[in-house]
Amino acid sequence: SYELMVIYNPTLTEAEVKKHIDLVKAKIKDLGGKVSGEDFWGLKDLAYPMKKFTQAYYTVLNFEQDGIKIVELNAYLNR
């Protein structure tokens, strides 16, 4: 079981963020995983500025995944 928090740039629209979330969920499924939960927090203040931004969109995904596939998922998320 894994929990993934993804933070998105605040210059995106909420619709664009949700599209990206769907892409991440599709990648998890493509790698043989199963998404068991999704919690979209929306636009929230950051604890400290990141790249001069003080807010970001937060999403938490809970999923089941084979540990070896996490490397591939990590590479996908870091692109």
Side-chain angles (χ1 to χ4, degrees), residues 5 8 11-12 19 23 28-30 32 35 38 40-41 48 55-57 59 64 70 76 78:
M5 177 177 279
Y8 291 95
T11 61
L12 297 172
K19 179 181 172 187
L23 292 172
I28 290 168
K29 290 176 186 173
D30 287 346
V35 177
E38 174 185 341
F40 179 70
W41 293 6
Y48 54 88
Q55 292 186 317
Y57 287 99
T59 298
E64 303 290 325
I70 293 299
Y76 173 79
N78 286 319

Side-chain angles (χ1 to χ4, degrees), residues 2-4 21 24-25 28 35 37-38 59-63:
Y2 293 94
E3 181 175 80
L4 171 68
I21 294 166
V24 172
K25 291 190 314 188
I28 290 168
V35 177
E38 174 185 341
T59 298
V60 177
L61 295 174
N62 296 345
F63 62 99

Side-chain angles (χ1 to χ4, degrees), residues 6-7 12-13 17 20-21 23 31 37 49 52 58 60 76 78:
V6 186
I7 302 172
L12 297 172
T13 66
V17 171
H20 285 277
I21 294 166
L23 292 172
L31 293 171
K52 299 185 181 181
Y58 285 78
V60 177
Y76 173 79
N78 286 319

Side-chain angles (χ1 to χ4, degrees), residues 37-73:
E38 174 185 341
D39 192 9
F40 179 70
W41 293 6
L43 192 61
K44 300 287 183 189
D45 290 335
L46 294 167
Y48 54 88
M50 295 173 68
K51 296 186 180 181
K52 299 185 181 181
F53 293 113
T54 59
Q55 292 186 317
Y57 287 99
Y58 285 78
T59 298
V60 177
L61 295 174
N62 296 345
F63 62 99
E64 303 290 325
Q65 184 74 60
D66 182 10
I68 197 77
K69 298 292 185 173
I70 293 299
V71 174
E72 291 180 56
L73 180 60

